[in-house]
Amino acid sequence: MKLDPEIEKILDKALAGEQITRQEAVKLLQVDENSPELYAIMSVANTLTRRHFGDKGEVWAQVGINIWPCPKSCAFCTFGEKWGVFTSRVELSLEEVVSRAKAFEDAGANAIFLMTTADYPFERFLEIAKAVREVLSPDMPMVANIGDFGPKEAEKLLEAGFQGAYHVFRLREGRDTEIDPKVRLRTLETIRDFGLALAYCVEPIGPEHSLEELVEEMFRGKDYLAASLAAMWRVPVPQTPLYKYGMISQWTLAKTVAVTRIVARDSIKAMGVHEARILPLRAGANQIYAETGPNPRDVLEDTSKGRGFTVEDCKELLVEAGYTPLEGPSEAFPVRPKAVSPLTD
């Protein structure tokens, strides 16, 4: 069997540790999903991950804190105020967030994420985060998944015990979201400048997105020195404007994960996929999520009763994909003895 010589050349380049170009990444994404070239791309991405991470798989666990109509009204999100999916305000108590975060650690999660809507009060988030930090092991990473923020907020996140932040420039930011793209970029700059480990993702991917759009976000994450990269499909939620476009296939998700992994080279400390499926885990991904509480892709108030996976579910899937679940804290979000801030240097 012979591969397309151009594809083979790009893959040889990747295996040699060389950086592929944007044009070459687009070329890889163009391959037919029934072609031998796709299997070759997935194989190379899988090889890079196994070589770099030693067959270790990771489970990161996220606690959604609140669910209420969000004024940003992103066209793919169940929280959007304009879509009317949720009309009441629901918020987990401090004690409940602490309990769920600790339960995730006890179940074997490798990092704990705390997520809110974009308009959640920052000081209240800090209060909850500090309480969570007190019950977690000192070396268990804590990661913030919140709205945009600036230098003063970044300093407070460090002081509260966060090691990282999940933040992305979403596909068609400013068009499918009511967020200024410049604000998203400033937050990414802040995360980088303050030494918070960045978890970045190409998301939320729908059938309407061009290959060039996907590649741009792969490189953007790399350019902002992301500690982890990932790819995430968009779940079509009724009532949201993008529902009409439907959902990409698991094969398309796997291909996107594979090319993202190849673009990243060994600059990352984990390669994620969301939502977790077996094909992407055989195409370079080694990190997946367990979730509880509100979820922007779910219509249930508690995603652990819907789309969300448990830590045990994630571990079983990692094992099925040939990974050994990591025991202990992730190294993608290094714990520092004391927060260091550019504001106080």
Side-chain angles (χ1 to χ4, degrees):
M1 180 186 301
K2 291 186 178 181
L3 297 177
D4 179 322
E6 189 174 355
I7 297 298
E8 188 170 18
K9 182 178 179 181
I10 296 170
L11 295 181
D12 285 343
K13 184 177 177 180
L15 286 171
E18 299 176 33
Q19 180 67 64
I20 70 169
T21 66
R22 282 171 166 79
Q23 293 74 21
E24 288 171 331
V26 170
K27 181 68 176 178
L28 295 181
L29 286 174
Q30 287 174 337
V31 304
D32 189 284
E33 290 174 9
N34 294 312
S35 69
E37 283 78 14
L38 176 60
Y39 291 93
I41 292 167
M42 292 169 62
S43 176
V44 167
N46 184 59
T47 296
L48 293 175
T49 286
R50 308 278 172 168
R51 181 193 293 171
H52 189 49
F53 300 117
D55 285 333
K56 293 294 183 182
E58 298 199 23
V59 179
W60 297 352
Q62 181 162 268
V63 181
I65 294 176
N66 75 306
I67 185 168
W68 59 52
C70 177
K72 301 302 181 183
S73 291
C74 297
F76 44 78
C77 181
T78 60
F79 300 161
E81 183 176 34
K82 290 182 178 180
W83 323 136
V85 179
F86 293 101
T87 57
S88 59
R89 297 171 71 89
V90 177
E91 180 180 358
L92 298 183
S93 68
L94 182 150
E95 293 77 16
E96 187 63 29
V97 177
V98 169
S99 174
R100 296 190 189 199
K102 182 58 178 171
F104 271 148
E105 180 184 31
D106 292 344
N110 308 115
I112 304 298
F113 286 56
L114 301 179
M115 181 184 69
T116 69
T117 55
D119 63 337
Y120 192 81
F122 184 73
E123 292 301 325
R124 190 187 308 174
F125 177 73
L126 288 179
E127 178 187 2
I128 294 171
K130 289 175 182 177
V132 171
R133 181 75 272 173
E134 288 180 1
V135 304
L136 297 179
S137 302
D139 56 353
M140 175 57 62
M142 197 164 71
V143 185
N145 184 355
I146 58 176
D148 288 288
F149 58 87
K152 291 182 179 180
E153 289 80 13
E155 186 173 54
K156 289 182 178 181
L157 289 174
L158 288 167
E159 292 172 351
F162 283 98
Q163 286 73 45
Y166 179 92
H167 211 72
V168 303
F169 190 93
R170 275 82 58 91
L171 292 164
R172 303 189 181 178
E173 193 76 76
R175 173 178 165 185
D176 288 342
T177 74
E178 295 189 10
I179 298 174
D180 185 344
K182 294 179 181 178
V183 172
R184 300 298 286 186
L185 295 177
R186 282 199 295 268
T187 301
L188 289 170
E189 291 166 4
T190 297
I191 291 168
R192 178 192 60 200
D193 294 346
F194 276 74
L196 286 161
L198 173 64
Y200 198 82
C201 186
V202 181
E203 61 111 324
I205 306 169
E208 75 279 14
H209 294 124
S210 71
L211 304 183
E212 289 78 11
E213 287 176 286
L214 303 185
V215 168
E216 183 60 30
E217 295 316 312
M218 295 174 192
F219 278 87
R220 194 190 309 276
K222 185 175 173 62
D223 290 344
Y224 277 97
L225 309 180
S228 67
L229 280 175
M232 182 179 80
W233 61 17
R234 186 183 66 237
V235 175
V237 179
Q239 295 177 240
T240 59
L242 299 185
Y243 175 75
K244 62 185 178 183
Y245 291 111
M247 190 172 184
I248 64 171
S249 71
Q250 188 181 158
W251 284 103
T252 300
L253 180 62
K255 180 166 63 170
T256 308
V257 165
V259 177
T260 304
R261 179 65 188 89
I262 290 169
V263 166
R265 299 169 66 198
D266 286 343
S267 66
I268 54 173
K269 297 184 178 179
M271 179 65 213
V273 62
H274 203 61
E275 297 167 326
R277 296 293 186 273
I278 193 66
L279 280 178
L281 286 169
R282 298 296 296 182
N286 77 320
Q287 177 272 310
I288 56 181
Y289 282 94
E291 297 176 283
T292 189
N295 177 333
R297 299 170 314 284
D298 211 332
V299 295
L300 299 180
E301 290 183 0
D302 188 346
T303 195
S304 62
K305 299 176 182 177
R307 301 192 68 89
F309 287 13
T310 66
V311 173
E312 291 77 13
D313 293 334
C314 291
K315 287 184 175 182
E316 289 177 6
L317 192 55
L318 287 172
V319 170
E320 184 180 352
Y323 289 109
T324 300
L326 177 68
E327 295 185 6
S330 173
E331 295 182 358
F333 308 98
V335 177
R336 291 176 288 272
K338 184 179 180 181
V340 178
S341 162
L343 294 183
T344 56
D345 281 354

